Amino acid sequence: MTQATLAPGPYQSCFRCFGVPAAGSSHGEAVSCGARYPITEVRTRCERCGGLLDVEHDLLALQKTSGASWRALFDQRALRAPFPYTSGVWGKKEWVCPDLPDSAIVSLGEGHTPLVPMPRLGAELGVPDLWIKQCGHNPTGSFKDLGMTVLVSMVQHLRMLGRPVPAVACASTGDTSAALAAYCARAGLRAVVFLPAGQLSDEQLSQPLAHFATTVALSTDFDGCMALVAQFCQRHGVYLANSMNPLRIEGQKTLSCEIAQQLDWQPPDWVVVPGGNLGHTTALGRGFELLRALGLCQKTPRLLVAQAASAAPLYQAFKQKWHFTPLVAQPTLASAIRIGNPVNVHKAIAVLRRLDGAVELATEDELARAFVLGDQHGLYCDPHTGVALAALAKQRAAELIRAEDRVVVVSTAHGLKFGALKRAHHQGDPSQASGAAGTPGAAPAAPRNPPLRVAAELAALEDALLPRLL
Amino acid sequence: MTQATLAPGPYQSCFRCFGVPAAGSSHGEAVSCGARYPITEVRTRCERCGGLLDVEHDLLALQKTSGASWRALFDQRALRAPFPYTSGVWGKKEWVCPDLPDSAIVSLGEGHTPLVPMPRLGAELGVPDLWIKQCGHNPTGSFKDLGMTVLVSMVQHLRMLGRPVPAVACASTGDTSAALAAYCARAGLRAVVFLPAGQLSDEQLSQPLAHFATTVALSTDFDGCMALVAQFCQRHGVYLANSMNPLRIEGQKTLSCEIAQQLDWQPPDWVVVPGGNLGHTTALGRGFELLRALGLCQKTPRLLVAQAASAAPLYQAFKQKWHFTPLVAQPTLASAIRIGNPVNVHKAIAVLRRLDGAVELATEDELARAFVLGDQHGLYCDPHTGVALAALAKQRAAELIRAEDRVVVVSTAHGLKFGALKRAHHQGDPSQASGAAGTPGAAPAAPRNPPLRVAAELAALEDALLPRLL
């Protein structure tokens, strides 16, 4: 389809995204070649220049509604609207995918997760005005649901338009496959999940099996799975649900809206987010920019991206004036962000430059101490949230973040996905300290809370417990 | 403290609760002996008659506010209020624990979980207007958080009043210990959890360990733990957080408010809830009664309590015109409701009689088929939700529930707590089909979705997958 025939409304536009500086850009900053495609066209890269795609909204049309009117609409829908407008994503449908018919929307009630003030934990980290955004309270236990509801709804729409889509597929070892499987199950669509055999934890395997996704264990690593799924999808018209798909970013950017909304439309000074493939970072930053552009908020927060030291390509770029070089990621407990060549790195760098963002890293010890500390305060942290808390503490110590700043830490997944890791840590069984094969065998040095074994007699109990209660 | 010195506001009043019909009551119906105690008095039974206690609110005072004003207040607080009034529980503070100072409240952002319409699943069960209330999306993954936030807040209040409370303790094998540990961690209170050694699943052990609760594994069964924890608490001034505590019911009854609120204050025709110790059933029914009494809703729904066939004392009572006899519960996959002598049975029977409730049971096969079916539709069901879905299908078939009825099924916990059970089912490993020792070894006959092992080559993939995509 040529550009002349595009209907009004959001397009997919090219976002050039090279690993090296492109002609006319500095340090890999993105410049679009100008190509545009309809939102319903199934493609992952620009056919003209090979760049990634972005969804581009008609900002002038959106600006015809005042910031106050948008705020009132979003507030009202959050509680008192017909399903799926109570969803945190679909309550902002005009900003996400305005032309999608409501009948195509596939929602499990994602979004509107709690934003919890953590003053005691914050005081320990040096920032008493600390809040945790609990994305792990989404239906499948991670923030991935915010994007997956949009992607699967678009597939449903394509099918309603009569396009043949035999299945939706992804390669993943964790949260993405869970979200894809659940939303496809909800919609009655076939999902196919490609996993590297023997390289994922039990928790990660349970979700696609339970949702009856065709779950294929391949005798290769994650990169091998990714290459095969791309080939297979291309050849057989299967819809590829990978991180390049710009629709997922559209859903994920509603997270910024929720944070602002929950803070009475006053964005915090800082948002701290773990960074892997960097779609989430991109979405967060763009969401806050949109809030300002449309008059809902007066300012944007700064972003601190937190990476595991074993897999910190964005940190390296930050230290090199945003000059990015891919690297080979090493094992880390924060397995979901073990990525050396993030697919959305240039989108993320562009938004971080605009929002004066920063990047910090956490060693295995630092991230383990931090997630254990979070649990001690009543959170149930995944290791990635540990990376974010550790990075926050370091940047507070370095005084980039001030003691009086309001800080929101995005907790990306529920700790229930990492029960085996926690149990092994507290029981002191280093061989089990990692959920997935290929991550470190040694449990880092964070405090432990092993269970006590006591005979079933009052005297024995008193001997064991009374010294601890004094 | 005598009754004459009681301050205005809610009391704890006696709720007589015998296993056999008491004098002046029929078939175990409850009659209070009239004793009243201050809400801040630490006690589990009436000192005059030995009955359980209840919290009694000043209904006349609450009725001075109109139903419309309550509705507006609750709606407004859900999104736009200072923490913790955004909590589903504390947004209804006047109905829960009005005199508690805000500074004592210990909240993790519980409540306001999604209510998701499930028309396709409903159609399969014969009730297209089916909704699932996702209580598993609470902070620790179960509905227990709604009550535990109230109990732990009261302990915090007592400490602020200068009362010595060295710790809070419970005996539990699952959701209660997780909730107690998390809320105590949040508050900086010491929690002690008594568990029967070797009789709980890995998932159940991880949560109290992670929250640094003192986790005591006793060489006895659950009843042995319960007896010891009661003795220990009595002797050493430790606060006992068991199911007899009426404060937990106060928090849990806000669930009815949320359901009504999410359905625009039109309660459904039926609410289906799994029943074990029956505090949740009691709370749900009383919540809907309060909504009607205070003019927020015009009607109350009927309740269908769902029990596992292996542990169905309430079902037996229902069949005997509500004459209750305790029994010895047998093993079931629905381990959290394996209770033969439910502590709140007479409170529950009273409310079920008032609301024209019913009870149904589900065999192991029926409950397993039902939770697998829920997963196939994008839910991630715990086995107890399977019991509820199976009971619904049976009462639809029996035509107590009509095809046009609006039905809300309460999903009590997140499937992420039962990943091992699901995995074992789909991989066909019956020895692992139960998370906890003492539950059945044989996986019931529900459909399975085992993973496929395929060589990492396109041709092999096509051979394995293409027949499934046609």
Side-chain angles (χ1 to χ4, degrees):
Chain A
M1 190 181 279
T2 66
Q3 294 178 53
T5 64
L6 283 175
Y11 310 110
Q12 296 180 88
S13 75
C14 165
F15 183 100
R16 245 164 130 164
C17 193
F18 297 104
V20 293
S25 76
S26 65
H27 297 309
E29 193 179 358
V31 172
S32 171
C33 79
R36 287 183 166 184
Y37 308 93
I39 194 89
T40 49
E41 189 165 323
V42 180
R43 73 168 41 254
T44 49
R45 286 194 174 274
C46 176
E47 67 179 356
R48 201 192 291 175
C49 76
L52 287 191
L53 300 179
D54 253 342
V55 175
E56 198 183 302
H57 289 268
D58 183 349
L59 210 58
L60 289 174
L62 294 176
Q63 277 170 333
K64 287 180 186 153
T65 302
S66 74
S69 301
W70 284 121
R71 285 197 299 259
L73 179 70
F74 293 165
D75 282 357
Q76 171 247 310
R77 280 180 181 162
L79 196 70
R80 183 75 54 249
F83 194 87
Y85 286 88
T86 45
S87 148
V89 174
W90 298 109
K92 286 96 182 173
K93 188 186 171 199
E94 293 82 353
W95 295 17
V96 172
C97 217
D99 299 324
L100 201 69
D102 287 358
S103 56
I105 292 177
V106 182
S107 170
L108 286 165
E110 54 288 326
H112 289 311
T113 53
L115 179 69
V116 184
M118 300 296 297
R120 283 177 56 241
L121 173 61
E124 282 203 44
L125 301 174
V127 278
D129 196 4
L130 172 65
W131 300 66
I132 303 285
K133 178 64 176 172
Q134 292 285 31
C135 292
H137 293 211
N138 275 299
T140 77
S142 90
F143 75 94
K144 299 280 185 184
D145 294 343
L146 303 177
M148 202 56 81
T149 182
V150 182
L151 183 146
V152 174
S153 297
M154 179 57 77
V155 175
Q156 190 75 312
H157 180 48
L158 295 175
R159 290 197 350 151
M160 288 163 66
L161 293 174
R163 312 256 197 106
V165 182
V168 189
C170 74
S172 152
T173 57
D175 297 331
T176 302
S177 55
L180 178 66
Y183 281 85
C184 284
R186 165 70 157 165
L189 297 168
R190 222 183 253 112
V192 186
V193 172
F194 291 66
L195 308 167
Q199 287 189 38
L200 61 159
S201 77
D202 284 348
E203 286 107 331
Q204 290 167 325
L205 182 58
S206 301
Q207 290 182 285
L209 291 184
H211 294 307
F212 282 77
T214 300
T215 305
V216 189
L218 292 170
S219 321
T220 178
D221 61 5
F222 175 76
D223 293 328
C225 289
M226 194 63 232
L228 276 167
V229 71
Q231 273 184 282
F232 183 84
C233 288
Q234 177 77 27
R235 213 152 148 165
H236 300 289
V238 170
Y239 192 94
L240 183 58
N242 69 351
S243 303
M244 291 180 207
N245 193 309
L247 290 167
R248 285 170 55 187
I249 290 178
E250 293 311 291
Q252 288 176 22
K253 81 183 181 201
T254 61
L255 181 59
S256 312
C257 268
E258 280 189 29
I259 292 171
Q261 193 172 15
Q262 288 171 309
L263 294 173
D264 214 5
W265 304 105
Q266 305 293 324
D269 298 299
W270 283 93
V271 175
V272 187
V273 61
N277 239 341
L278 300 174
H280 201 38
T281 300
T282 303
L284 262 174
R286 289 185 184 175
F288 283 114
E289 289 183 301
L290 196 54
L291 286 164
R292 187 181 53 190
L294 296 180
L296 285 80
C297 298
Q298 299 304 309
K299 67 164 194 171
T300 50
R302 293 181 70 183
L303 299 187
L304 177 64
V305 182
Q307 295 207 297
S310 309
L314 188 71
Y315 178 79
Q316 298 304 335
F318 176 61
K319 290 292 174 190
Q320 303 289 322
K321 297 186 177 155
W322 295 117
H323 188 93
F324 170 73
T325 313
L327 49 78
V328 177
Q330 300 303 314
T332 168
L333 288 177
S335 50
I337 56 174
R338 182 186 167 185
I339 294 172
N341 191 10
V343 68
N344 292 302
V345 66
H346 293 290
K347 293 185 181 183
I349 287 176
V351 83
L352 288 168
R353 293 179 74 159
R354 292 196 300 269
L355 297 186
D356 195 15
V359 188
E360 181 56 278
L361 44 72
T363 65
E364 295 301 294
D365 260 14
E366 289 166 344
L367 76 89
R369 282 179 197 279
F371 83 69
V372 169
L373 180 68
D375 290 353
Q376 268 179 304
H377 283 269
L379 304 174
Y380 202 57
C381 291
D382 66 316
H384 315 93
T385 304
V387 174
L389 291 171
L392 162 61
K394 289 167 85 171
Q395 281 302 326
R396 171 69 200 98
E399 299 200 350
L400 179 67
I401 297 176
R402 296 164 306 169
E404 65 271 28
D405 283 346
R406 170 164 285 184
V407 178
V408 171
V409 167
V410 177
S411 177
T412 42
H414 204 294
L416 284 171
K417 292 195 179 208
F418 296 88
L421 172 68
K422 291 174 187 292
R423 212 154 52 239
H425 171 75
H426 289 291
Q427 293 186 312
D429 177 2
S431 73
Q432 293 297 313
S434 122
T439 53
R448 291 205 168 86
N449 178 40
L452 309 177
R453 277 199 151 270
V454 182
E457 297 161 4
L458 191 59
L461 257 184
E462 289 176 333
D463 285 349
L465 289 182
L466 290 183
R468 293 171 167 251
L469 300 186
L470 300 176
Chain B
M1 189 181 282
T2 65
Q3 295 179 50
T5 64
L6 282 175
Y11 311 110
Q12 296 180 89
S13 76
C14 165
F15 183 99
R16 245 165 131 167
C17 194
F18 298 103
V20 293
S25 76
S26 65
H27 297 311
E29 193 179 358
V31 172
S32 171
C33 79
R36 287 182 166 187
Y37 308 93
I39 193 89
T40 50
E41 190 164 321
V42 180
R43 76 168 38 255
T44 49
R45 287 196 174 272
C46 177
E47 68 179 357
R48 202 192 290 175
C49 75
L52 286 191
L53 300 178
D54 252 342
V55 175
E56 197 183 303
H57 290 269
D58 183 349
L59 211 58
L60 289 175
L62 293 176
Q63 278 169 335
K64 287 181 185 151
T65 301
S66 73
S69 301
W70 284 121
R71 285 197 298 258
L73 179 70
F74 293 165
D75 281 357
Q76 172 246 312
R77 279 179 180 163
L79 195 71
R80 183 74 57 249
F83 195 87
Y85 285 88
T86 45
S87 148
V89 174
W90 298 107
K92 285 97 183 175
K93 188 186 171 199
E94 293 82 353
W95 295 15
V96 172
C97 216
D99 300 324
L100 201 70
D102 286 357
S103 58
I105 292 178
V106 182
S107 169
L108 286 166
E110 55 288 325
H112 289 313
T113 53
L115 179 68
V116 184
M118 301 295 297
R120 282 177 56 240
L121 173 61
E124 281 202 44
L125 301 174
V127 278
D129 196 5
L130 172 67
W131 300 66
I132 303 283
K133 178 63 176 172
Q134 291 284 31
C135 291
H137 293 211
N138 275 299
T140 77
S142 89
F143 75 93
K144 300 279 185 184
D145 294 345
L146 302 177
M148 202 55 83
T149 182
V150 182
L151 183 147
V152 174
S153 297
M154 179 56 77
V155 175
Q156 190 75 312
H157 180 47
L158 295 175
R159 293 203 338 158
M160 290 164 66
L161 293 175
R163 311 258 196 103
V165 182
V168 189
C170 74
S172 152
T173 58
D175 296 332
T176 302
S177 55
L180 178 66
Y183 281 85
C184 283
R186 165 71 158 165
L189 296 168
R190 222 184 254 112
V192 186
V193 172
F194 291 64
L195 308 169
Q199 288 188 38
L200 62 158
S201 76
D202 283 349
E203 285 107 331
Q204 290 168 325
L205 182 58
S206 302
Q207 291 183 283
L209 291 184
H211 295 306
F212 282 77
T214 299
T215 305
V216 189
L218 292 170
S219 320
T220 178
D221 61 6
F222 175 76
D223 293 329
C225 288
M226 194 63 231
L228 275 167
V229 71
Q231 272 183 284
F232 183 84
C233 288
Q234 178 76 27
R235 211 151 152 167
H236 300 291
V238 169
Y239 192 95
L240 183 59
N242 69 353
S243 303
M244 291 179 207
N245 194 308
L247 290 168
R248 285 171 54 188
I249 290 178
E250 293 311 292
Q252 288 176 21
K253 82 183 181 201
T254 61
L255 181 59
S256 312
C257 269
E258 281 189 29
I259 292 171
Q261 195 171 14
Q262 289 171 309
L263 294 174
D264 213 6
W265 303 105
Q266 304 293 324
D269 298 299
W270 283 93
V271 175
V272 187
V273 62
N277 239 340
L278 300 174
H280 201 37
T281 299
T282 304
L284 262 175
R286 290 185 183 176
F288 283 114
E289 289 184 301
L290 196 55
L291 286 164
R292 189 181 50 190
L294 295 180
L296 288 80
C297 298
Q298 298 306 311
K299 68 164 194 172
T300 50
R302 294 180 70 182
L303 299 187
L304 176 65
V305 182
Q307 295 207 297
S310 309
L314 188 71
Y315 178 80
Q316 298 304 337
F318 176 60
K319 291 290 173 191
Q320 304 289 325
K321 297 186 177 158
W322 296 116
H323 188 92
F324 170 73
T325 313
L327 50 78
V328 177
Q330 301 304 313
T332 167
L333 288 176
S335 49
I337 56 174
R338 182 186 166 183
I339 294 171
N341 191 9
V343 69
N344 291 303
V345 67
H346 293 289
K347 293 185 182 183
I349 287 176
V351 83
L352 287 168
R353 292 178 74 156
R354 292 196 299 271
L355 297 186
D356 194 15
V359 188
E360 181 55 280
L361 44 73
T363 65
E364 295 302 293
D365 259 14
E366 288 166 344
L367 76 88
R369 282 178 196 278
F371 82 70
V372 169
L373 180 67
D375 290 354
Q376 268 180 306
H377 283 269
L379 303 174
Y380 203 56
C381 291
D382 67 315
H384 315 91
T385 304
V387 175
L389 290 172
L392 163 60
K394 287 167 86 170
Q395 281 302 327
R396 172 67 200 98
E399 299 199 350
L400 180 68
I401 297 176
R402 295 164 305 168
E404 65 271 27
D405 283 347
R406 170 165 284 185
V407 178
V408 171
V409 167
V410 177
S411 177
T412 42
H414 204 295
L416 283 171
K417 292 196 179 206
F418 296 88
L421 172 67
K422 291 174 186 291
R423 213 155 50 240
H425 171 75
H426 289 291
Q427 294 186 312
D429 177 3
S431 74
Q432 293 297 311
S434 124
T439 52
R448 292 204 168 90
N449 179 39
L452 308 177
R453 278 197 150 272
V454 182
E457 297 160 6
L458 191 59
L461 258 183
E462 288 175 334
D463 285 350
L465 289 183
L466 290 183
R468 293 171 166 250
L469 300 187
L470 300 177

